[in-house]
Each structure stands twice: as C-alpha cells, then as structure tokens.
Amino acid sequence: MTHCFFKVKTQFENLGDALINRELIKQLKPTEKLIICIKNVPTDFLKNLDIESAVLVNSSIYFYYLMLKSRLSLNNVNYFLNPGGYGGKISPKKVIMYLGTTFIFSLFKIIGIKVHRVGVSFSNLSTFHSYMLRLQSKVLYSNSVRDSLTFEICRKLKIRVSKIVPDLAFTLAYENSNLEKTYDIVISVRKPNNNIESLFIALDKIVKSAHGKILFIYQVKFDQDFQERLYSRYKSYDVELRDLSKLLTENERLFSQCKYVVSNRLHVLLLAMSKGAMPLALIDPAENSKIIGIFKDANIFKLIKDYTNCNNAYFSNADITTIQDIFINNHKLINDFFTDLNK
C-alpha cells in the first residue's frame, strides 16, 4: 500500500500558501492513506484545506511515529515537504534546522521513506542558503521545481533537481463565466522594496484607463497597509477596498466577477486566471523572478509588465482558449507526476 504524509508548515497568514497546500493535498488524496500533521495550524487556515478524508494528527512525534510504523509494515511511504518559494539569506538558527532535517532525511532514505519537494522555486539565494539546499537535495527522493528559470539556477548552484513540475495552482479547474462583470479592475499589490514611485506611475495609468469600478483587495495581512494607502490615493475614482485574507472561496467568487486583475503576487494572478479574469503581472523583475519564470514557461510572458521600465500600454489580452489550454496541459503534467510516484 502507498501511504502519503504531509506536515502543514508554512506562512499561515498567506492565502497563496493555503492555495498550493490545498492543491497538493488534493493530489495526495487518491492514495490508500493520507496522514496530515496539523500541529500549530490556525483554524482559519485549515478551513481552506481539503482535509476531510485524511487522517489528522496534532503531534509531530506521533506523526513521525506513524510514518516509521508504516514503513516498517513495508508500505510505500512518501513524505511531502511544503511547496512554495525559497530565497534570501538564512539565519544561523535556520542553518542548524537545515542540517538537522537533512540528517533526518538521510535516515529516512536508508530505511526507504521517500522525501519529496515539489512545486518550489528558488531566487536570490545567499551562499549559505544555496549550500544547504544543495546538501539537502542529495538525500531527497525527488526535488522538483516549478519553472525553468529555477531549474537553471539549480544547475548553476549544483542543487540536484529531478524535473520541472508546474506550480500546483495549475490544477485548478478553469472557469470563465459569461455573466456581466461587477469590477473592471481588481488590484492586489505587495509593497515593493524599491522603485515605489515607478509603481505609482504605472498604477496611475492603469486606474485612469478603467472603464468601471476598481477594487483594491489584500489576500495577505502584510499587504493591508499598502492597499489602504493605494485606496486613499485613488479614492476620487470609483473604487472599493476589501479584506479577502480569510477564505479562498471568497477570492474565487470575486475573481469570477472581474475583468482584469493587477498584482505582483503569483497566486493572486493564477487564481484569477483560473476564474476567467485577465491577469496583469505588474512587477519589478529584481523582486518577482518567480512570476517571470512561471509566466515564461506558460507562454504568457506578454502579460508581464515591468513597471520600472515600461512606456507601452499596460493591458495585453491573451486568447482565452490559450489560457484554458495552459491549465489543462499543466494539470496533466502535475497529475502524471503524482501518478508516477504511486506506481
């Protein structure tokens, strides 16, 4: 029998992380048994996950005990690490954690527990961080990245990579409602570290080009202050501001009611695309390389606008059939990956 194990450990205040965790769990559910550790996971975050048929464990020790017991019973045991982005510097404490988990994964490898990292991207890695990832990749059963840009980074840094598996958000079912749209533009923008005046110039042009109501939203509490600042900047226009940081279902309903979505957050863009909204990735390439990699692989690079160097019209429509095909094709690649693991 195949038993899958997954420990929910991520940024609980980020609905984008809730999305890819939910979609990973959906991919694991067809196995004979799915065990999920939910220790320290907030109740609001759990509401976004599809965990009804899984065995839920609220103790890390018991979780790993069940994993060892399953393997000693000669089951095929797969342990999945959290999807998402890795980048930047790491603290001395984090280095010690990497070394500890790498040692544990080495023991797992010896006894036949397969550890998988899937749906990840790497950017702006410090020397220590890249070394830790390189060391850990040697003991993983599979280390799959979500875009070719990350694949190339790994090749240069000698981080072992199994293959490219698209972002897990591409498992979403594509829907495009023919109903009249409530909002012309939805804007959800994280405050950039640099070039903020360039961002304001770009947003000024976008807001002035609107042919209907504009809605500012935040999926992440971290974005609230900046979205409120943008709302105040454009309050002379037909604008609203909403907090959508609690439930994915609220975001899904909203995106089906809007024509365009402007964001520098990857999973705002992908979730909006899945509901038929046309995305505009408004980015600084120095800060948003994961969006560049994933959009480039999906052949929708023209939907990216670099606000630090852009004099052209901002909105570029992609063919709806093309976007639908992107979800269908990437969904198949993801399904094939998980099907192969369970053979």
Side-chain angles (χ1 to χ4, degrees):
M1 295 180 69
T2 296
H3 291 178
C4 288
F5 290 78
F6 177 56
K7 187 174 185 179
V8 183
K9 188 177 181 182
T10 187
Q11 299 179 68
F12 297 125
E13 72 283 358
N14 189 332
L15 271 190
D17 288 316
L19 172 63
I20 54 178
N21 275 263
R22 184 187 72 181
E23 298 308 307
L24 174 58
I25 290 169
K26 285 182 179 179
Q27 290 296 313
L28 302 181
K29 288 179 77 172
T31 56
E32 286 89 349
K33 194 171 188 179
L34 172 59
I35 300 92
I36 302 176
C37 182
I38 57 170
K39 182 182 179 182
N40 298 327
V41 182
T43 302
D44 284 346
F45 191 88
L46 285 176
K47 290 177 182 177
N48 291 298
L49 305 183
D50 188 3
I51 56 176
E52 287 74 16
S53 61
V55 176
L56 304 182
V57 177
N58 209 14
S59 163
S60 295
I61 294 174
Y62 188 55
F63 175 74
Y64 290 116
Y65 162 75
L66 290 177
M67 192 184 300
L68 290 171
K69 181 182 177 183
S70 177
R71 181 56 194 148
L72 292 173
S73 300
L74 302 181
N75 291 307
N76 178 29
V77 177
N78 293 306
Y79 175 34
F80 288 86
L81 306 181
N82 283 93
Y86 293 72
K89 298 179 180 179
I90 52 175
S91 65
K93 181 181 178 181
K94 191 73 172 178
V95 171
I96 293 171
M97 290 176 61
Y98 262 114
L99 290 172
T101 54
T102 301
F103 175 72
I104 292 170
F105 295 164
S106 299
L107 297 178
F108 285 175
K109 185 176 182 179
I110 291 170
I111 65 175
I113 294 175
K114 302 170 184 176
V115 183
H116 307 274
R117 179 180 284 133
V118 61
V120 299
S121 55
F122 305 138
S123 62
N124 302 318
L125 295 172
S126 67
T127 301
F128 270 125
H129 202 169
S130 62
Y131 177 76
M132 289 296 110
L133 289 168
R134 180 164 65 249
L135 182 66
Q136 194 171 84
S137 70
K138 298 178 186 298
V139 298
L140 300 179
Y141 186 83
S142 70
N143 189 33
S144 304
V145 298
R146 58 187 174 183
D147 64 272
S148 55
L149 183 60
T150 298
F151 187 91
E152 184 61 22
I153 290 171
C154 290
R155 189 188 66 80
K156 290 179 179 178
L157 296 175
K158 298 181 180 177
I159 299 171
R160 187 183 69 84
V161 178
S162 310
K163 64 191 304 184
I164 298 174
V165 178
D167 189 273
L168 292 163
F170 283 112
T171 60
L172 294 165
Y174 179 81
E175 302 172 12
N176 185 25
S177 171
N178 292 320
L179 298 176
E180 185 177 350
K181 305 299 183 182
T182 305
Y183 300 100
D184 188 44
I185 304 173
V186 170
I187 299 175
S188 178
V189 179
R190 177 178 181 167
K191 183 180 178 181
N193 295 320
N194 300 294
N195 298 308
I196 193 167
E197 289 304 320
S198 296
L199 175 61
F200 286 150
I201 291 170
L203 288 173
D204 288 349
K205 293 178 181 179
I206 289 169
V207 169
K208 289 176 182 177
S209 72
H211 297 291
K213 189 179 291 292
I214 300 171
L215 176 64
F216 291 91
I217 67 167
Y218 51 94
Q219 276 191 324
V220 185
K221 280 293 185 181
F222 177 83
D223 295 348
Q224 180 175 354
D225 289 347
F226 190 59
Q227 288 300 108
E228 289 176 348
R229 180 179 173 183
L230 293 178
Y231 172 74
S232 296
R233 181 182 178 92
Y234 300 113
K235 63 183 179 182
S236 61
Y237 295 87
D238 188 5
V239 296
E240 293 180 16
L241 173 69
R242 285 173 61 182
D243 174 0
L244 288 178
S245 62
K246 296 296 184 183
L247 295 174
L248 283 170
T249 50
E250 290 181 350
N251 285 264
E252 289 167 332
R253 281 195 296 270
L254 170 71
F255 291 141
S256 68
Q257 299 170 8
C258 66
K259 186 174 181 181
Y260 295 102
V261 172
V262 177
S263 186
N264 56 4
R265 284 198 174 273
L266 173 64
H267 292 109
V268 170
L269 295 164
L270 295 184
L271 185 59
M273 282 172 60
S274 75
K275 296 301 174 183
M278 191 60 62
L280 172 65
L282 190 64
I283 67 164
D284 179 344
E287 297 186 22
N288 304 110
S289 61
K290 65 183 179 183
I291 293 177
I292 293 173
I294 289 168
F295 273 49
K296 187 175 181 180
D297 286 356
N299 293 317
I300 49 173
F301 192 76
K302 70 176 183 177
L303 299 180
I304 293 177
K305 294 297 179 182
D306 173 5
Y307 61 77
T308 69
N309 183 28
C310 184
N311 297 313
N312 301 323
Y314 278 88
F315 290 112
S316 300
N317 286 341
D319 184 84
I320 293 298
T321 304
T322 299
I323 291 181
Q324 185 173 12
D325 288 343
I326 289 168
F327 276 87
I328 292 171
N329 295 336
N330 283 320
H331 194 168
K332 183 180 185 305
L333 291 173
I334 296 168
N335 281 345
D336 289 347
F337 171 79
F338 284 98
T339 300
D340 289 344
L341 288 180
N342 294 325
K343 287 181 179 178

